[in-house]
Amino acid sequence: MKKILFCLTALFLFFISSVAAQKGGTLRGNVFDKANGEPMIFSTVLLENTTIGTTTDENGFFSIGGIPAGNYKMTVTSIGYDSVSVSVKINDGGITYQRVVLAESSIQLGTVELSARREQARSDVSISKVTVTANQIKSLPGTGGQADIAQYLPVLPGIISTGDQGGQIYIRGGSPIQNRIMLDGMTIFNPFHSIGFYSVFETETIKTVDVLTAGFNAEYGGRISAVVDLKTREGNKKRLAGLVSANPFQAKALIEGPLKKFEEGGGSSSFLFTAKHSYIDKTSPLLYAYAVDTTFYPTSDSAGGLSDTDRKRLPFTFTDFYGKFSFLTGNGSKLNLFGFNFTDDVDYIGVAKFGWQSTGGGANFTLIPPNSNLVIGGTMAYSDYNIELKEAGEAPRTSNISNYNVKLDFTYFGLRNEVKYGFEIAGLDTDFAFKNFVGNTINQASFTTELGGFVRYKARFGNFILEPSIRVQFYPSQNASSLEPRFGAKYNVTDNFRLKMAGGFYSQNLISSVSELDVVNLFVGFLTGPEERVNKLNTNEPVEHRLQKAIHAVVGAEIDLAKNIELNVEPYFKDFTQLIQINRNKIDPQDPNFVTETGKAYGIDFTLRYETRKIYLWGTYSHAYVDRDDGEQNYPTIFDRRHNVNLLGTYKFGATLDWEASARWNMGSGFPFTLTQGFYDNINFNDGLDTDPNTGNGDLGVVLDEKRNAGRLPYYHRMDVSLKRTFKFGKYASLEAVASATNLYNRENIFYYDRVRNDRVNQLPIMPSFGLTFNF
């Protein structure tokens, strides 16, 4: 370990010295929207008559170091805004700060010569990374007329969802527990509501969502498959604003405004609050009773004793609250305070009652010292997640996980390179109990910490962009550490053709109660990695460590086929060298509580994008394989979808572009399942030796095929459409009316098959809706 720390220290000093040794001065600043004081993301900053430039980040911040001393004209541009040029003076060893405010252009151009996204593609590695904005999410024909990130994520390459009810996302072969979902730097353990169409995140509050599906750099740790990093925007700094919205599925409201108004050159502060509540359990008996009858209560026996209204009720309810205070100083430093409360309930009356609650809060900040070429960022947060499932005739199942995390990072900016380093501390307090089919119980109540440190170096050498990084994870409860080198690179072959690659080592210590064999499971409990002995596959030998680990490798190509057409191709490979799961087949109390597996995920993703002022087209095709090996057989997982196609289109029309039509079509090959070989009379022997097998009636037992997941369900396909009309009333007030239809041609897509009742349970049928949103 001492040798590792020595090597890391030497590497860190080399990276820092390579940036600090550069001569010249530093230019940095922030770009804001004049109308509301909102930071302008992905704006382009150029020094005229030079090749020096950059783009702003999600905070509207930019920094360029190592600029030769002299006088320059800096030009800032952003799509849909008037360009601004200002004179700046750069001194050797000095730091020049420049705040820029952009006004929306009075002349909307059909094409924009300078695209910040293209410039960013040429200057960042950005492999297996998609950045999504709120406007892109709202281009989706959302269920109930409300688009949501839960509906948008499956449109992205390599991401699939298992269904409309209890839907979870699987990212390039990784199960939900292997994907880290973050809100403003805080880990969210269950971001999706049980109905599957909606997440806990309010679309109107989203600034950016970075979706990293493989090969992500060392800034992120604690997961072995993927990261979804969501950042919320700040409240309006100029005026009181908000919205109210309602449709058959939910109602929501948002209010925002300044505490101290934004002024050019000065500080400001603002607030933002949002709330939403579902009404589908109340509206479904009137509007969607046909969906309930065919999906949730397949037979009259399963709904015995219920009123007709209860039988026609979609059993989902949820309520979400989120609030944020933001404080901005004159030099770009900022502080955000945020908090949330998310709840979800499912009530199959007389069958099962399920619910969870997630609460938390924290702070994040960016500190920009006026006399140092160093930017300091940090996050401090705490959250608590509780879940309970009560099934008829069964003991309640509960799980709780409390989490705190503290992260600090430091960034040095050079002319064509930068260094970012930092550390993270996370604490996990879990309380979990699981009882398997023979009554053996697995209990875990533990508190553990995770420590992580990282260094990332990014440099541009001619047409090459290199991004080596390294992370060290220490797991005290396991008495184990994990050294995780990672590397990314891009080569700009031409202005319109780029090659890229990335790879690395990853680890995690968190385990889910959900087995990858489960087709449907709303109950998602969490526990930390076992501290007891765990054996290697099919042996009595202990494993070398009790962590879950994976290796990623990705290559790809980006091609600008035309001015507005982009093609991205990415083959990938993930080797899950060790996975740990609860031993659900534990028969003898002496059997181990946990078992190990290995796995592989590999495939290729194609993405085609076309965008103009009026038209937005997006298409993806994924060809993938996801396998697991439990020591007895190699089998495909239940989320192994061989083919997946997504097509999305949005068209704006009308004299003032106040009409918008959207359509999305998804087709996927069938998920694997284990075939049924036969049935038997499962006598429970409740009366002991007095039980007579010849006259007693037991439960119907199912004999499964010995070959796991050898069958395939039918293909899935569905089309969603929407039509939106915006009515404007003055400068700020507007009304949006949206008519939409989910599953337009009423495709009967199978959800799962109830073997015991011999019933096919389908996903939701056609669901038309109409919604109104008033903005002020």
Side-chain angles (χ1 to χ4, degrees):
M1 191 66 185
K2 290 182 179 180
K3 290 183 178 179
I4 293 175
L5 291 175
F6 176 79
C7 293
L8 289 176
T9 303
L11 187 66
F12 167 73
L13 293 175
F14 169 76
F15 288 157
I16 291 294
S17 62
S18 67
V19 177
Q22 297 181 88
K23 297 180 180 180
T26 296
L27 173 64
R28 64 189 185 196
N30 289 84
V31 182
F32 297 99
D33 188 327
K34 185 176 182 179
N36 54 25
E38 185 73 14
M40 297 288 295
I41 62 175
F42 307 144
S43 296
T44 302
V45 180
L46 286 175
L47 297 185
E48 292 186 8
N49 301 317
T50 75
T51 59
I52 300 173
T54 187
T55 57
T56 59
D57 63 12
E58 67 272 4
N59 295 314
F61 177 76
F62 66 91
S63 182
I64 311 172
I67 303 174
N71 296 313
Y72 298 89
K73 179 170 284 189
M74 181 184 75
T75 300
V76 181
T77 60
S78 188
I79 296 175
Y81 289 79
D82 290 328
S83 299
V84 171
S85 295
V86 295
S87 297
V88 294
K89 183 178 181 180
I90 304 299
N91 298 315
D92 255 332
I95 297 175
T96 301
Y97 178 84
Q98 183 67 52
R99 176 184 284 200
V100 178
V101 177
L102 298 183
E104 194 169 351
S105 177
S106 58
I107 302 176
Q108 294 291 328
L109 300 177
T111 59
V112 179
E113 294 296 330
L114 188 58
S115 170
R117 190 176 64 255
R118 289 278 179 91
E119 182 60 32
Q120 191 175 40
R122 297 183 184 111
S123 58
D124 288 342
V125 174
S126 294
I127 186 168
S128 296
K129 176 183 177 182
V130 178
T131 298
V132 180
T133 64
N135 286 335
Q136 290 172 309
I137 297 172
K138 288 188 283 189
S139 71
L140 195 71
T143 301
Q146 294 289 343
D148 190 277
I149 188 65
Q151 303 164 41
Y152 196 89
L153 285 175
V155 176
L156 302 179
I159 301 181
I160 62 171
S161 175
T162 54
D164 303 327
Q165 301 108 53
Q168 295 285 336
I169 60 168
Y170 297 83
I171 303 180
R172 283 186 172 174
S175 61
I177 189 62
Q178 294 155 7
N179 307 320
R180 187 177 184 185
I181 313 293
M182 302 171 65
L183 171 64
D184 291 327
M186 176 194 305
T187 300
I188 301 295
F189 292 97
N190 193 348
F192 304 111
H193 288 297
S194 299
I195 194 171
F197 291 132
Y198 300 107
S199 70
V200 300
F201 311 120
E202 173 51 50
T203 302
E204 301 293 340
T205 67
I206 291 176
K207 182 192 297 181
T208 60
V209 185
D210 288 332
V211 184
L212 302 102
T213 57
F216 46 92
N217 65 45
E219 289 184 48
Y220 299 98
R223 294 297 186 275
I224 59 173
S225 182
V227 174
V228 178
D229 188 1
L230 186 148
K231 298 179 178 67
T232 59
R233 65 178 179 86
E234 299 156 9
N236 195 310
K237 301 183 183 69
K238 285 293 191 76
R239 62 180 182 86
L240 187 68
L243 65 83
V244 290
S245 177
N247 61 64
F249 287 77
Q250 64 172 346
K252 66 180 182 180
L254 181 148
I255 187 75
E256 59 181 320
L259 299 172
K260 179 183 178 183
K261 285 191 175 182
F262 175 85
E263 296 178 358
E264 296 185 29
S268 63
S269 57
S270 64
F271 68 89
L272 183 151
F273 294 102
T274 182
K276 62 183 176 184
H277 180 71
S278 65
Y279 290 101
I280 190 64
D281 61 322
K282 303 294 190 301
T283 59
S284 53
L286 298 174
L287 302 177
Y288 306 117
Y290 59 90
V292 184
D293 284 341
T294 59
T295 305
F296 294 101
Y297 297 111
T299 67
S300 58
D301 292 340
S302 65
L306 299 183
S307 67
D308 188 58
T309 300
D310 285 336
R311 293 187 69 246
K312 295 179 179 180
R313 182 181 65 87
L314 283 165
F316 305 105
T317 58
F318 60 82
T319 304
D320 298 330
F321 296 98
Y322 178 82
K324 184 175 186 178
F325 292 98
S326 301
F327 306 89
L328 177 70
T329 67
N331 76 333
S333 296
K334 62 190 301 183
L335 170 68
N336 295 310
L337 306 175
F338 56 89
F340 63 86
N341 183 76
F342 308 136
T343 59
D344 185 275
D345 290 285
V346 182
D347 189 4
Y348 293 97
I349 299 176
V351 179
K353 185 175 177 61
F354 161 83
W356 57 258
Q357 181 177 25
S358 182
T359 59
N364 57 51
F365 66 88
T366 300
L367 179 63
I368 304 175
N371 299 314
S372 171
N373 192 21
L374 175 73
V375 176
I376 305 171
T379 300
M380 294 167 286
Y382 173 83
S383 67
D384 184 71
Y385 173 76
N386 291 278
I387 184 170
E388 182 179 48
L389 174 63
K390 295 179 179 178
E391 296 177 288
E394 301 288 340
R397 281 192 280 171
T398 62
S399 179
N400 167 261
I401 181 168
S402 299
N403 171 67
Y404 74 85
N405 67 289
V406 177
K407 181 180 179 181
L408 282 175
D409 58 67
F410 308 84
T411 308
Y412 284 94
F413 293 93
L415 180 59
R416 286 182 172 83
N417 57 7
E418 69 178 62
V419 172
K420 187 172 185 178
Y421 62 94
F423 66 88
E424 185 174 11
I425 303 172
L428 296 169
D429 188 357
T430 60
D431 190 355
F432 174 82
F434 170 79
K435 182 180 289 186
N436 70 1
F437 67 100
V438 296
N440 284 317
T441 300
I442 298 173
N443 289 295
Q444 187 195 76
S446 68
F447 177 80
T448 184
T449 56
E450 298 179 7
L451 309 176
F454 71 90
V455 181
R456 176 181 66 84
Y457 177 70
K458 174 186 170 184
R460 183 162 186 167
F461 302 97
N463 291 333
F464 282 96
I465 304 166
L466 303 180
E467 191 178 79
S469 61
I470 192 165
R471 187 177 185 93
V472 177
Q473 284 283 116
F474 180 55
Y475 303 94
S477 66
Q478 301 291 352
N479 193 26
S481 59
S482 177
L483 182 64
E484 301 170 6
R486 304 173 192 178
F487 183 77
K490 176 175 283 185
Y491 176 58
N492 291 286
V493 182
T494 68
D495 283 345
N496 299 315
F497 179 44
R498 300 170 289 278
L499 298 174
K500 53 188 179 179
M501 60 85 67
F505 293 78
Y506 306 85
S507 68
Q508 76 175 68
N509 190 39
L510 193 65
I511 299 174
S512 170
S513 65
V514 176
S515 169
E516 293 182 354
L517 303 179
D518 291 337
V519 177
V520 183
N521 195 329
L522 293 175
F523 183 83
V524 181
F526 296 94
L527 61 165
T528 55
E531 298 177 25
E532 61 200 66
R533 173 173 171 148
V534 178
N535 292 333
K536 294 180 180 179
L537 291 179
N538 257 359
T539 71
N540 288 322
E541 298 179 24
V543 295
E544 296 177 1
H545 58 80
R546 295 183 296 271
L547 301 174
Q548 299 185 84
K549 291 193 173 185
I551 303 172
H552 297 187
V554 196
V555 296
E558 299 171 354
I559 308 170
D560 300 332
L561 298 175
K563 191 173 186 178
N564 301 306
I565 305 177
E566 304 166 8
L567 173 66
N568 187 73
V569 182
E570 287 186 3
Y572 65 90
F573 177 80
K574 292 181 181 179
D575 185 5
F576 298 99
T577 56
Q578 181 165 286
L579 301 173
I580 298 177
Q581 297 207 35
I582 294 174
N583 184 7
R584 295 185 168 216
N585 297 319
K586 179 177 179 177
I587 297 176
D588 190 292
Q590 303 305 315
D591 289 342
N593 290 326
F594 299 90
V595 293
T596 60
E597 287 187 336
T598 60
K600 289 179 172 55
Y602 52 96
I604 185 170
D605 294 327
F606 298 86
T607 305
L608 188 66
R609 173 180 179 145
Y610 173 80
E611 185 173 11
T612 65
R613 183 188 174 204
K614 296 181 178 180
I615 301 174
Y616 177 74
L617 300 176
W618 172 275
T620 66
Y621 168 71
S622 298
H623 185 75
Y625 298 82
V626 186
D627 299 323
R628 297 288 187 262
D629 187 345
D630 64 358
E632 295 181 0
Q633 58 179 298
N634 189 280
Y635 62 94
T637 66
I638 56 99
F639 52 91
D640 174 42
R641 172 162 279 173
R642 189 72 66 245
H643 306 282
N644 195 44
V645 177
N646 271 289
L647 301 176
L648 170 64
T650 300
Y651 177 61
K652 296 180 180 180
F653 59 98
T656 57
L657 301 184
D658 47 12
W659 287 90
E660 182 177 287
S662 299
R664 180 245 178 155
W665 184 73
N666 174 227
M667 182 193 72
S669 56
F671 289 123
F673 73 99
T674 302
L675 298 167
T676 301
Q677 292 288 79
F679 300 91
Y680 66 95
D681 194 15
N682 185 18
I683 305 296
N684 54 33
F685 289 92
N686 287 335
D687 296 328
L689 295 177
D690 292 332
T691 302
D692 187 353
N694 295 317
T695 59
N697 291 319
D699 297 326
L700 185 63
V702 180
V703 180
L704 299 178
D705 186 7
E706 64 179 13
K707 191 172 183 181
R708 188 176 298 168
N709 291 343
R712 289 274 173 175
L713 296 174
Y715 265 69
Y716 168 98
H717 53 88
R718 190 182 91 186
M719 173 171 277
D720 303 336
V721 297
S722 69
L723 180 65
K724 179 170 70 175
R725 172 72 157 91
T726 302
F727 303 90
K728 295 185 178 180
F729 311 103
K731 187 175 181 180
Y732 299 117
S734 66
L735 178 68
E736 295 178 358
V738 182
S740 66
T742 301
N743 196 3
L744 177 66
Y745 50 82
N746 202 27
R747 162 75 175 179
E748 291 187 348
N749 290 303
I750 188 170
F751 187 27
Y752 67 94
Y753 203 87
D754 189 325
R755 304 174 197 258
V756 175
R757 293 190 177 94
N758 195 30
D759 277 316
R760 168 175 166 153
V761 179
N762 287 328
Q763 303 202 43
L764 294 174
I766 181 173
M767 301 186 76
S769 65
F770 179 79
L772 294 173
T773 301
F774 179 70
N775 298 276
F776 60 90

